[in-house]
Amino acid sequence: MESDSTTTRILVLDDDAEICEVIGEILGQSGYEVTSSTRPEEAIQLLENKPFDIFITDYRIGETNGLEMCHHAVRSNPNLPVILLTGYGTMDTAIEAIRVGAFDFVAKPSELDALSAALRQSVQRALDSKKQKEGALTVGARDGESLMSLDELERQYIEKVLTAVGGNKASAARVLGVDRTTLYRKLQRYGPKS
């Protein structure tokens, strides 16, 4: 069946076929078109040859890990939100995921309902963020302005890091490679959004 251009296309990579099936069912019930793969090589080919709106990858995939897949996906398509899914979630892993360009980091809960809610929320946040960025790019292009200022990119990156470290400003400063005073000044400059 051919999908219309408004259908959100999601690629899921997990080396466990049952997990792929469960995630496919969860997201399919929300109206998303889901393609699954259990092999990183196949996922890379799919990413290169088909347009996807979101890429969800497990952290541990045989010999490969989700951070490598995330890095590859973001390098080949910087506008593709990548959601890293793991049963082995640590703060270090979350920080590294943000560093390589992941949009979100979701720890796999043991209960299906919790997994369903976490995935749906993460996908919705990714879609909302993507629409907001596309809207900003359209306005900038229409008005003849630069597409996105460096300040805006920096503000968004700082927000991602703060989210990954649970709002801890000292940890965020370490991840960003700046001292706390510099981070506080930037937060004051960007205002209440941050």
Side-chain angles (χ1 to χ4, degrees), residues 87-157:
Y88 310 94
T90 67
M91 187 57 71
D92 288 341
T93 308
I95 290 168
E96 187 59 28
I98 298 299
R99 278 188 177 159
V100 297
F103 172 80
D104 203 359
F105 179 84
V106 176
K108 283 184 196 172
S110 55
E111 295 178 10
L112 186 59
D113 288 343
L115 175 63
S116 177
L119 276 174
R120 287 185 172 126
Q121 288 172 358
S122 185
V123 165
Q124 189 58 55
R125 282 194 309 269
L127 291 173
D128 291 346
S129 175
K130 196 171 180 181
K131 284 179 189 171
Q132 182 181 11
K133 286 178 184 175
E134 287 169 356
L137 292 174
T138 302
V139 169
R142 184 178 57 232
D143 295 343
E145 300 169 2
S146 62
L147 295 181
M148 190 175 288
S149 71
L150 288 175
D151 283 347
E152 178 60 16
L153 288 171
E154 182 180 54
R155 182 191 65 76
Q156 288 179 9
Y157 185 66

Side-chain angles (χ1 to χ4, degrees), residues 10-17 19-21 23-24 27 34-47 52 54-62 64-70 72-73 82-86 108 119:
I10 301 174
L11 175 61
V12 175
L13 172 63
D14 195 305
D15 59 359
D16 184 331
I19 296 291
C20 283
E21 188 176 322
I23 292 172
L27 297 176
V34 180
T35 303
S36 298
S37 175
T38 57
R39 297 185 346 251
E41 311 80 34
E42 180 184 42
I44 288 170
Q45 285 185 337
L46 286 166
L47 286 168
F52 288 98
I54 295 175
F55 176 41
I56 299 173
T57 180
D58 191 25
Y59 180 71
R60 294 191 180 177
I61 316 155
T64 307
N65 72 44
L67 295 175
E68 292 170 15
M69 292 304 299
C70 176
H72 176 81
V82 178
I83 298 169
L84 191 67
L85 187 64
T86 182
K108 283 184 196 172
L119 276 174

